[in-house]
Amino acid sequence: MEKSKIITYSLLAHINNSGLLVNDLLSIFEPLVKRILSKMNSESISKGKNISEIKSRFDSAYKIELPLPVLRNILKRIAHQTNTAEQVHFQIFENDDAFIIHNFIFVDYDEIITEKEKEIDELESAFREFCNINSLEEKDFSSIFDFIECNKLSLVQYLNVPEKIQTINIDFNNEAKFVDFFRQFPPLFKKIRDIYLGSIISCYLEYETVKGNSDVEILFDTNYILSLLDLNS
C-alpha cells in the first residue's frame, strides 16, 4: 500500500476526531479538496474546463478516488463557505462544471501531513521489531500497512477488545500478537486505530449501490459494528 494513501487515512481520522466543522461525512473530505484548490491556485491555475481536472489532482495526491458527483457537492459547499459579496474565491458553473479559482489559500493541514509522515515511519520501525520478535519474514509483509491490509478482517476482532488477548493461549495467531505487541505502546496503538478509522471513512467514497434482484432482506447491527472500533462518535 502506498505511503500517500496511509497518510490520507490518518488525515481523515484526524479531521474526524478533531470535530471541527464536521457535520457529516462529506465535510470530512472538504479540507482535502480545499488543499488541492489552494495548490492549484499557487501554481497559477486560475480556471478549468471541467472539475474532472480537480478530481485528477485529488486522486493523485491522496491515492483515493473521489467520484465526480461527490466532488461537485463538496465544491458547491466550498464556494458557499468562502465567497463573499466583495470577493469570489471559487466558482463552479452549473451548465458544464467549468470552474474559476481566485486567491484561494488553504495551508491548514500541511504541517499535520508532515507530522503524519513521521508517525508512519515510527509505526514502520516498530513493525520491524515485531517481525524480528515473532520471526516473520519481510517478504511475507513488506510493510505494516500490507500486514494490516492482508489481515484487517481478523485484526478487527482484537483492536477494541482488550480481554480477547488475555484469553488466548501462548500459541495465538500473528494478528493477535500484532495487537498485543502494539498495545504496549498506546500512542502507536492509537495511530493504528486511526488508520483503520480513516480507511473506513474512505469507503464512503467507494461505495456504490447496485440494483438487486433478490427478495432477501439483510439487517446490520450498526451499533455493534461501530463499537468494534470505538467509532460511535
Side-chain angles (χ1 to χ4, degrees):
M1 188 183 297
E2 295 184 61
K3 187 175 182 179
S4 297
K5 191 170 187 177
I6 300 301
I7 293 173
T8 299
Y9 288 165
S10 187
L11 187 57
L12 288 172
H14 171 83
I15 296 170
N16 177 77
N17 295 339
S18 69
L20 299 175
L21 302 178
V22 175
N23 301 314
D24 53 29
L25 275 173
L26 268 190
S27 62
I28 296 176
F29 296 94
E30 285 179 21
L32 304 188
V33 176
K34 288 179 179 178
R35 185 167 173 266
I36 294 299
L37 294 178
S38 180
K39 285 187 174 296
M40 293 175 73
N41 182 75
S42 69
E43 297 170 11
S44 300
I45 299 174
S46 59
K47 59 184 178 180
K49 294 182 178 179
N50 192 273
I51 61 173
S52 58
E53 298 170 33
I54 301 173
K55 167 181 162 55
S56 178
R57 297 283 295 250
F58 182 100
D59 294 355
S60 176
Y62 301 115
K63 306 305 177 187
I64 57 176
E65 189 169 339
L66 185 63
L68 279 173
V70 176
L71 175 60
R72 187 179 297 109
N73 286 334
I74 292 176
L75 290 174
K76 288 179 180 178
R77 289 189 181 193
I78 291 173
H80 178 73
Q81 294 167 6
T82 59
N83 294 339
T84 64
E86 296 76 25
Q87 179 70 61
V88 175
H89 296 283
F90 178 78
Q91 189 174 7
I92 179 174
F93 297 94
E94 295 281 353
N95 57 330
D96 58 1
D97 277 350
F99 63 90
I100 293 176
I101 304 173
H102 184 65
N103 291 336
F104 197 101
I105 300 174
F106 185 82
V107 294
D108 293 21
Y109 287 90
D110 285 359
E111 289 186 7
I112 295 173
I113 288 176
T114 300
E115 178 186 325
K116 296 302 178 186
E117 290 175 344
K118 294 179 180 178
E119 290 177 357
I120 287 170
D121 290 338
E122 291 176 9
L123 281 172
E124 199 63 71
S125 177
F127 179 68
R128 295 300 165 205
E129 183 180 347
F130 165 76
C131 289
N132 290 334
I133 291 173
N134 293 281
S135 301
L136 294 180
E137 297 185 23
E138 288 190 20
K139 66 179 180 64
D140 295 328
F141 305 103
S142 59
S143 73
I144 182 174
F145 310 110
D146 286 336
F147 180 88
I148 292 174
E149 186 69 15
C150 291
N151 300 285
K152 58 185 177 182
L153 292 180
S154 51
L155 274 173
V156 70
Q157 65 183 308
Y158 304 115
L159 277 175
N160 201 42
V161 189
E163 298 79 12
K164 189 80 175 180
I165 300 297
Q166 299 172 10
T167 60
I168 302 176
N169 63 35
I170 196 170
D171 294 322
F172 57 16
N173 59 32
N174 288 327
E175 295 92 317
K177 290 178 182 177
F178 174 85
V179 173
D180 192 36
F181 174 81
F182 277 95
R183 191 174 275 121
Q184 303 173 61
F185 314 103
L188 293 181
F189 189 63
K190 181 182 182 302
K191 293 179 179 92
I192 291 174
R193 288 164 59 91
D194 282 348
I195 290 169
Y196 255 86
L197 172 57
S199 68
I200 290 172
I201 292 172
S202 72
C203 289
Y204 172 76
L205 298 180
E206 300 169 0
Y207 176 74
E208 294 183 6
T209 58
V210 294
K211 185 176 181 180
N213 297 318
S214 173
D215 293 328
V216 176
E217 185 174 293
I218 302 176
L219 301 178
F220 291 96
D221 185 341
T222 52
N223 286 330
Y224 171 74
I225 295 172
L226 293 176
S227 69
L228 288 177
L229 287 178
D230 192 25
L231 303 181
N232 287 301
S233 62

